[in-house]
């Protein structure tokens, strides 16, 4: 079997050159897939990128149904993935970008392990509406659970709106995601594990399983509330979440 470092190298190169690779033929364990993810992120850190948090995946039925997978996954996010709110990102950076509406948490305290929602809430400095640009490094955006974990759970870009007071009840806020002015996905934050806060609770547990913790200052992306939408050069994407506000960007 190909060694894990080689697979990490291959996925990192696919990301760097926006050139997709075939799905893996040899099966991996979930632990090996996260080892590959760590090794591929180590390459990004070595190039000067900085870890800024984590993203959760498959925290809504809409996302699970779209990708035909049903287990929560997570990935690491870096400063190199940030797209300025109201700004733009070039289409050439991606293989086949898709966008999805999310909620972002900013932490003021570390979190790890089995915690209750009250503890999670107490560690939150602010919340924001956020767009995640996912991009699979696999041909045709098709993958198994371990493939996608190894590929940093399709992490590619993120746009974070203005940070808001975390006191707002996140359990059922209306979501509208528009592309070029037309509403393409409509939903509710309730789609994210019934409340995005539960995604933060799950995030703390999942990182601890890998011997890590969420750090003060980290951003945690709660996961897409709706199916993701494919993007083309020139698309302007705008997300509005009730009570949290709006965030937008353009793919150039
Ligand atoms: C995997 C990433 C899932 C989410 O929010 O559920 C994800 C993918 O769909 O490519 O980011
Ligand atoms: Mg996502």
């Amino acid at each position: 079997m190909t060694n894990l470092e080689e697979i990490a190298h291959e996925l990192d190169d696919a990301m760097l050159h926006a050139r997709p690779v075939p799905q893996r033929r040899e099966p991996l364990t979930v632990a090996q897939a996260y080892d590959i993810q760590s090794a591929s992120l180590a390459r990004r850190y070595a190039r000067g990128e900085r870890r800024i948090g984590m993203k959760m995946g498959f925290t809504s039925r809409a996302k699970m149904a779209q990708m035909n997978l049903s287990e929560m996954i997570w990935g690491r996010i870096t400063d190199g993935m940030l797209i300025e709110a109201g700004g733009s990102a070039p289409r050439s950076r991606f293989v086949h970008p898709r966008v999805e509406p999310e909620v972002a948490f900013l932490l003021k305290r570390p979190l790890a392990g089995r915690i209750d929602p009250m503890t999670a809430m107490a560690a939150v400095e602010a919340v924001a509406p956020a767009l995640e640009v996912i991009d699979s490094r696999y041909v045709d955006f098709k993958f198994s659970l371990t493939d996608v974990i190894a590929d940093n759970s399709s992490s590619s870009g993120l746009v974070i709106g203005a940070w808001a007071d975390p006191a707002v009840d996140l359990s059922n806020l209306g979501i509208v995601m528009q592309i070029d002015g037309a509403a393409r996905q409509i939903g509710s934050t309730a789609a994210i594990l019934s409340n995005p806060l539960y995604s933060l609770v799950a995030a703390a547990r999942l990182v601890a399983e890998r011997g890590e913790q969420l750090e003060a200052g980290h951003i945690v992306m709660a996961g897409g509330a709706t199916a993701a939408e494919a993007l083309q050069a020139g698309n302007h994407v705008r997300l509005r979440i009730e009570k949290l506000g709006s965030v937008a960007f353009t793919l150039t």
Side-chain angles (χ1 to χ4, degrees):
M1 181 176 148
T2 324
N3 90 34
L4 303 184
E5 189 63 49
E6 270 171 47
I7 303 173
H9 190 158
E10 178 187 281
L11 286 166
D12 184 53
D13 270 354
M15 184 276 296
L16 270 178
H17 306 297
R19 218 180 296 130
V21 294
Q23 278 185 251
R24 301 231 59 82
R25 279 174 303 270
E26 321 89 350
L28 296 166
T29 65
V30 168
Q32 285 173 325
Y34 279 109
D35 285 342
I36 294 167
Q37 183 189 124
S38 307
S40 94
L41 266 284
R43 300 177 68 88
R44 295 180 76 132
Y45 305 145
R47 290 193 297 269
E49 287 182 51
R50 186 174 57 86
R51 173 94 182 262
I52 58 165
M54 75 174 279
K55 57 84 59 84
M56 292 291 286
F58 304 138
T59 54
S60 69
R61 285 193 185 283
K63 280 291 305 179
M64 291 190 254
Q66 185 177 31
M67 303 318 294
N68 201 25
L69 289 171
S70 57
E71 253 177 86
M72 271 193 276
I73 58 174
W74 63 279
R76 294 160 164 97
I77 54 180
T78 74
D79 57 352
M81 299 176 190
L82 284 171
I83 300 166
E84 200 190 331
S88 65
R91 170 68 182 84
S92 58
R93 201 181 114 183
F94 309 96
V95 180
H96 29 213
R98 295 179 180 179
V99 67
E100 54 196 22
E102 304 214 4
V103 171
F105 294 98
L106 178 63
L107 300 186
K108 62 182 173 192
R109 272 184 228 151
L111 281 177
R114 289 188 178 274
I115 53 167
D116 58 31
M118 294 280 279
T119 307
M121 198 63 238
V124 175
E125 168 84 23
V127 295
L131 288 164
E132 183 177 30
V133 182
I134 49 171
D135 191 28
S136 177
R137 269 59 64 162
Y138 298 107
V139 172
D140 295 338
F141 223 115
K142 288 207 179 102
F143 42 68
S144 65
L145 181 73
T146 51
D147 281 339
V148 67
I149 291 169
D151 185 28
N152 199 20
S153 298
S154 305
S155 300
S156 188
L158 43 134
V159 199
I160 312 275
W163 291 110
D165 190 321
V168 44
D169 177 1
L170 294 173
S171 63
N172 185 16
L173 302 177
I175 288 175
V176 181
M177 186 171 77
Q178 296 180 324
I179 300 182
D180 298 335
R184 293 279 286 273
Q185 289 289 344
I186 295 172
S188 163
T189 54
I192 306 166
L193 296 173
S194 83
N195 183 333
L197 190 58
Y198 293 124
S199 180
L200 181 57
V201 169
R205 177 172 53 77
L206 291 176
V207 289
E209 284 173 5
R210 293 282 304 171
E212 295 188 19
Q213 63 174 13
L214 300 170
E215 307 289 352
H218 267 186
I219 292 169
V220 178
M221 300 283 284
T226 70
E229 288 286 334
L231 286 177
Q232 268 143 36
N235 282 162
H236 178 72
V237 186
R238 181 173 197 84
L239 165 68
R240 196 180 68 78
I241 302 184
E242 184 187 354
K243 294 189 180 147
L244 296 186
S246 297
V247 59
F249 84 104
T250 305
L251 193 70
T252 53

